Amino acid sequence: MNKTYCNLIAGSWREGATTIENRNPSDLADVIGYYAQAGADQLEQAVAAARQALPACRALGLEARQTALEAIGRELMDRSGELGTLLSREEGKPFAEGKGEVYRAGQFFTYFAAEALRQLGENADSVRPGVEIDVRREPMGVVAVISPWNFPTATASWKIAPALAYGNAVIWKPANLTPASAWALAEIISRSGLPAGAFQLLMGSGSTIGNGLAGHPGVDAVTFTGSHAVGKKVAAAAASNLTKFQLELGSKNPLLVMDDADLELAVAAAAAGGYSGTGQKCTASSRLLVHEKVHDAFVERLGHRLGAMKVDHALAEGTDIGPVVSEEQLSANLSWIETAKKSGVDIVAGGARVSRATEGYYMTPALLVGTSNDMALNREELFAPIAAVQKIGSYEEGLAIANDTEFGLVAGIFTTSLARAGHFRRNVETGCVSVNLSTAGTDYHVPFGGRKASSFGPREQGRSAAEFYTQVKTAYIRAGDPE
């Protein structure tokens, strides 16, 4: 009999109103466990507990915060193999990626452990004689974290770690597709010595818990990563109370391959950027804008590379691409392939559901050629192991197509021209840019976020995180004259 995993509310593990079953997308016969689903009453209990914990959170010394976050991070790194196996088992990414994600999550916590000690303010003289000014940052209060399933440990960690480092109380609503990784992280945090109610896990439906947190008057800030459609609902709910909110949403990232590019590097980057994590990442390079002079060679090499990739169980030796996360996601992916075929697009590699030793949601990585930027598959985020090639005649045309999208998260270019690279960095309309690198992959000590419909609010990660998880207070002080 599989174990039922509970929510963490006010320092204790509590059963939910209902439970959900969590199955392995690599092996549908493998039930990972059953996970509590909180109801509206438990949401109210969690918010009340968080507000009650705020004085203790603010009173917790900087060294105590640093010690707690450091311990969380070290345990994640030490257990990255074990927890990476669990992550890959429930989400479907190959083990190396799952282990790497958990280790990186540990680094988020150790980075913000150090940041907890670096909370410096500013001092200034007033324009009024005898008055001094003190400017400092204080915690927002109760922070609701709503995180996605595609990076269930890392994305949650880069939100939870700074929120705790700056003295907030956190209520975390993880995605229901990956509750096992969420519970494992929450269990580690629960042993870190933070005050009861400073961190709570509230697994449940988006409609009840996600929307409920976003629109709750007892929540002071909401950080959300997920789809554009759901993000707009979160924004509307938060705005109803003038609650501070931060959104990381969809993308349609272009990768330009110019006629002077190192093709081997460009092909490797396109494969990694477009297909790692089964293409289920917001930084995936799904629009490949390839110069006509190298188009055919690039397509041939990338198609060959994709054909050689091993699609199999996430924990199988040598797997390059695991299953997609769910039957719903697989059906959507295959629907896009059919749409492409009906539009006259060439499917030069993959795009089919395949069977393996265990029943799962497997499909081969697809490369679509002969597409145009007005096609829906180049306008909408697919979240799939599918990339579409567009042939371009010049750098100027490539830049224009790259910017012709409602999204603006990441863009990349492969070129040996310093002039092109510099111009692209300045003129592409995205929050992140890569030059001769994959569009996937971020560093934890610098800002991350997009423009246009990809993001809203302050950047995540690095010192920029303080912009969201704290609020500024300016104090004017007249000390008087000494006697």
Side-chain angles (χ1 to χ4, degrees), residues 160-206:
I160 295 168
L164 294 175
Y166 295 122
N168 297 284
V170 172
I171 304 174
W172 177 26
K173 189 272 184 230
N176 263 346
L177 283 172
T178 49
S181 295
W183 192 91
L185 174 57
E187 194 277 330
I188 292 173
I189 297 174
S190 74
R191 294 185 279 100
S192 65
L194 294 170
F199 171 82
Q200 299 175 89
L201 174 69
L202 213 57
M203 297 179 288
S205 69

Coordinates of all heavy atoms in Angstrom, one line a residue, residues 160-206:
I160 N 11.5 30.2 -2.8 CA 11.4 30.0 -1.4 C 12.6 30.5 -0.7 O 12.5 31.2 0.4 CB 11.2 28.5 -1.1 CG1 9.8 28.1 -1.6 CG2 11.2 28.2 0.4 CD1 9.6 26.5 -1.6
A161 N 13.8 30.3 -1.2 CA 15.0 30.7 -0.5 C 15.1 32.2 -0.3 O 15.4 32.6 0.9 CB 16.2 30.1 -1.3
P162 N 14.9 33.0 -1.3 CA 15.0 34.5 -1.0 C 13.9 34.9 -0.1 O 14.1 35.8 0.8 CB 15.0 35.1 -2.3 CG 14.3 34.1 -3.2 CD 14.8 32.8 -2.7
A163 N 12.7 34.4 -0.2 CA 11.6 34.8 0.6 C 11.9 34.5 2.1 O 11.7 35.4 2.9 CB 10.3 34.0 0.2
L164 N 12.5 33.4 2.4 CA 12.9 33.1 3.8 C 14.1 33.9 4.2 O 14.2 34.4 5.4 CB 13.2 31.6 3.9 CG 12.0 30.6 3.7 CD1 12.5 29.2 3.8 CD2 10.9 30.9 4.8
A165 N 15.1 34.1 3.3 CA 16.3 34.9 3.6 C 15.9 36.3 4.1 O 16.6 36.8 5.0 CB 17.2 34.9 2.4
Y166 N 14.9 36.9 3.5 CA 14.5 38.2 3.8 C 13.5 38.3 4.9 O 13.0 39.4 5.2 CB 14.1 39.0 2.6 CG 15.2 39.1 1.5 CD1 15.1 38.6 0.2 CD2 16.4 39.7 1.9 CE1 16.1 38.7 -0.7 CE2 17.4 39.8 0.9 CZ 17.3 39.3 -0.3 OH 18.3 39.4 -1.2
G167 N 13.2 37.2 5.6 CA 12.3 37.3 6.8 C 10.8 37.2 6.6 O 10.1 37.5 7.4
N168 N 10.4 36.6 5.4 CA 9.0 36.4 5.2 C 8.5 35.1 5.7 O 9.3 34.2 6.0 CB 8.7 36.5 3.7 CG 9.1 37.9 3.1 OD1 8.4 38.8 3.2 ND2 10.2 37.9 2.4
A169 N 7.2 34.9 5.7 CA 6.5 33.6 6.0 C 6.0 33.2 4.6 O 5.4 33.9 3.9 CB 5.4 33.8 6.9
V170 N 6.3 31.9 4.3 CA 6.0 31.4 3.0 C 4.9 30.3 3.0 O 5.0 29.4 3.9 CB 7.3 30.7 2.4 CG1 7.0 30.0 1.1 CG2 8.4 31.8 2.1
I171 N 4.0 30.4 2.1 CA 3.0 29.3 1.8 C 3.2 28.9 0.4 O 3.1 29.6 -0.5 CB 1.6 29.8 2.0 CG1 1.3 30.4 3.4 CG2 0.6 28.6 1.8 CD1 -0.1 31.1 3.6
W172 N 3.6 27.6 0.3 CA 4.0 27.1 -1.0 C 2.9 26.2 -1.6 O 2.5 25.2 -1.0 CB 5.3 26.3 -0.9 CG 5.7 25.6 -2.2 CD1 5.4 26.0 -3.5 CD2 6.6 24.5 -2.3 NE1 6.1 25.2 -4.4 CE2 6.8 24.2 -3.7 CE3 7.2 23.7 -1.4 CZ2 7.6 23.2 -4.1 CZ3 8.0 22.7 -1.8 CH2 8.2 22.4 -3.2
K173 N 2.4 26.5 -2.8 CA 1.4 25.7 -3.5 C 2.2 25.1 -4.7 O 2.4 25.8 -5.7 CB 0.2 26.5 -4.0 CG -0.9 25.6 -4.5 CD -0.7 25.5 -6.0 CE -1.9 24.7 -6.6 NZ -1.4 23.6 -7.5
P174 N 2.6 23.9 -4.7 CA 3.3 23.3 -5.8 C 2.3 22.7 -6.9 O 1.1 22.6 -6.6 CB 4.1 22.1 -5.2 CG 3.2 21.7 -4.1 CD 2.6 22.9 -3.6
A175 N 2.9 22.4 -8.0 CA 2.0 21.8 -9.1 C 1.6 20.4 -8.7 O 2.4 19.6 -8.1 CB 2.8 21.7 -10.4
N176 N 0.4 20.0 -9.0 CA -0.1 18.7 -8.7 C 0.5 17.5 -9.5 O 0.3 16.4 -9.1 CB -1.6 18.6 -8.8 CG -2.3 18.9 -7.5 OD1 -1.7 18.8 -6.4 ND2 -3.6 19.1 -7.5
L177 N 1.2 17.8 -10.6 CA 1.8 16.8 -11.4 C 3.1 16.3 -10.7 O 3.5 15.2 -11.1 CB 2.1 17.3 -12.8 CG 0.9 17.4 -13.7 CD1 1.3 18.0 -15.0 CD2 0.3 16.0 -14.0
T178 N 3.7 17.1 -9.8 CA 5.0 16.7 -9.2 C 4.9 16.9 -7.7 O 5.8 17.6 -7.2 CB 6.1 17.4 -9.9 OG1 5.8 18.8 -9.9 CG2 6.4 17.0 -11.3
P179 N 4.0 16.2 -7.0 CA 3.9 16.5 -5.6 C 5.0 15.8 -4.8 O 5.3 16.2 -3.7 CB 2.6 15.9 -5.2 CG 2.3 14.8 -6.2 CD 3.0 15.3 -7.5
A180 N 5.6 14.7 -5.3 CA 6.6 14.0 -4.5 C 7.9 14.8 -4.3 O 8.4 14.9 -3.2 CB 7.0 12.7 -5.2
S181 N 8.3 15.5 -5.3 CA 9.5 16.4 -5.2 C 9.2 17.6 -4.2 O 10.0 18.0 -3.4 CB 9.9 16.9 -6.5 OG 10.4 15.9 -7.4
A182 N 8.0 18.1 -4.3 CA 7.5 19.1 -3.4 C 7.6 18.7 -2.0 O 8.1 19.4 -1.1 CB 6.2 19.6 -3.8
W183 N 7.0 17.5 -1.7 CA 6.9 17.0 -0.3 C 8.3 16.8 0.2 O 8.6 17.1 1.4 CB 6.1 15.7 -0.3 CG 5.8 15.3 1.2 CD1 4.7 15.7 1.9 CD2 6.6 14.6 2.0 NE1 4.7 15.2 3.1 CE2 5.9 14.5 3.3 CE3 7.9 13.9 1.9 CZ2 6.4 13.8 4.4 CZ3 8.4 13.2 3.0 CH2 7.7 13.2 4.2
A184 N 9.2 16.2 -0.6 CA 10.6 16.0 -0.2 C 11.3 17.3 0.2 O 12.0 17.3 1.2 CB 11.4 15.2 -1.3
L185 N 11.2 18.3 -0.6 CA 11.8 19.6 -0.3 C 11.2 20.2 1.0 O 11.9 20.7 1.9 CB 11.6 20.6 -1.4 CG 12.1 22.0 -1.2 CD1 13.6 22.0 -0.8 CD2 11.9 22.9 -2.4
A186 N 9.8 20.1 1.1 CA 9.2 20.6 2.3 C 9.6 19.9 3.6 O 9.8 20.5 4.6 CB 7.7 20.5 2.1
E187 N 9.8 18.6 3.5 CA 10.3 17.8 4.6 C 11.6 18.3 5.1 O 11.9 18.4 6.3 CB 10.3 16.4 4.3 CG 10.4 15.4 5.5 CD 11.8 15.2 6.0 OE1 12.7 15.3 5.1 OE2 12.0 15.0 7.2
I188 N 12.5 18.6 4.2 CA 13.8 19.1 4.5 C 13.7 20.5 5.2 O 14.3 20.7 6.3 CB 14.7 19.2 3.3 CG1 15.1 17.8 2.8 CG2 16.0 20.0 3.6 CD1 15.8 17.8 1.4
I189 N 12.9 21.4 4.6 CA 12.8 22.7 5.2 C 12.1 22.6 6.6 O 12.5 23.4 7.5 CB 11.9 23.6 4.3 CG1 12.6 23.8 2.9 CG2 11.6 25.0 4.9 CD1 11.8 24.5 1.9
S190 N 11.2 21.7 6.8 CA 10.5 21.5 8.1 C 11.5 21.2 9.2 O 11.2 21.5 10.4 CB 9.5 20.5 8.0 OG 10.0 19.2 8.0
R191 N 12.7 20.7 8.9 CA 13.7 20.3 9.9 C 14.8 21.4 10.1 O 15.8 21.1 10.7 CB 14.3 19.0 9.6 CG 13.3 17.8 9.7 CD 14.0 16.5 9.5 NE 14.2 16.2 8.1 CZ 15.4 16.3 7.4 NH1 16.4 16.8 8.1 NH2 15.5 16.0 6.2
S192 N 14.6 22.5 9.5 CA 15.7 23.5 9.4 C 15.7 24.5 10.6 O 16.7 25.2 10.8 CB 15.6 24.4 8.2 OG 14.4 25.2 8.2
G193 N 14.7 24.4 11.5 CA 14.8 25.2 12.7 C 14.0 26.5 12.5 O 14.1 27.4 13.4
L194 N 13.3 26.7 11.4 CA 12.5 28.0 11.3 C 11.3 27.9 12.2 O 10.8 26.8 12.5 CB 12.1 28.1 9.8 CG 13.2 28.3 8.8 CD1 12.7 28.2 7.4 CD2 13.9 29.7 9.0
P195 N 10.8 29.1 12.5 CA 9.6 29.1 13.4 C 8.4 28.4 12.8 O 8.3 28.4 11.5 CB 9.3 30.6 13.6 CG 10.6 31.3 13.3 CD 11.3 30.4 12.2
A196 N 7.5 27.8 13.6 CA 6.3 27.1 13.0 C 5.5 28.2 12.3 O 5.3 29.3 12.8 CB 5.5 26.5 14.2
G197 N 5.1 27.8 11.1 CA 4.3 28.7 10.3 C 5.1 29.6 9.4 O 4.6 30.3 8.5
A198 N 6.4 29.6 9.5 CA 7.3 30.4 8.7 C 7.4 29.8 7.3 O 7.6 30.5 6.3 CB 8.7 30.5 9.2
F199 N 7.2 28.4 7.2 CA 7.1 27.8 5.9 C 6.0 26.7 6.0 O 6.0 25.9 6.9 CB 8.4 27.1 5.5 CG 8.3 26.2 4.3 CD1 8.4 26.7 3.1 CD2 8.1 24.8 4.5 CE1 8.2 25.9 1.9 CE2 7.9 24.0 3.4 CZ 8.0 24.6 2.1
Q200 N 5.1 26.7 5.0 CA 4.0 25.8 4.9 C 3.9 25.2 3.5 O 4.0 26.0 2.5 CB 2.7 26.4 5.4 CG 2.8 26.9 6.8 CD 1.5 27.7 7.2 OE1 0.6 27.1 7.7 NE2 1.5 29.0 7.0
L201 N 3.5 24.0 3.4 CA 3.2 23.3 2.2 C 1.7 23.1 2.0 O 1.1 22.5 2.9 CB 4.0 22.0 2.1 CG 3.7 21.1 0.9 CD1 4.2 21.7 -0.4 CD2 4.2 19.7 1.1
L202 N 1.2 23.6 0.9 CA -0.3 23.5 0.7 C -0.5 22.9 -0.7 O -0.7 23.6 -1.6 CB -0.9 24.9 0.9 CG -2.3 24.9 1.5 CD1 -2.4 24.3 2.8 CD2 -2.8 26.4 1.5
M203 N -0.5 21.6 -0.7 CA -0.8 20.9 -2.0 C -2.3 20.9 -2.2 O -3.1 20.7 -1.3 CB -0.3 19.4 -2.0 CG 1.2 19.3 -1.8 SD 1.8 17.6 -1.7 CE 1.2 17.1 -0.1
G204 N -2.7 21.2 -3.5 CA -4.1 21.2 -3.8 C -4.3 21.7 -5.2 O -3.4 22.0 -5.9
S205 N -5.5 21.9 -5.6 CA -5.9 22.3 -6.9 C -5.6 23.7 -7.2 O -5.6 24.5 -6.2 CB -7.4 22.0 -7.2 OG -8.2 22.9 -6.5
G206 N -5.3 24.1 -8.4 CA -5.1 25.5 -8.7 C -6.3 26.3 -8.5 O -6.2 27.5 -8.0

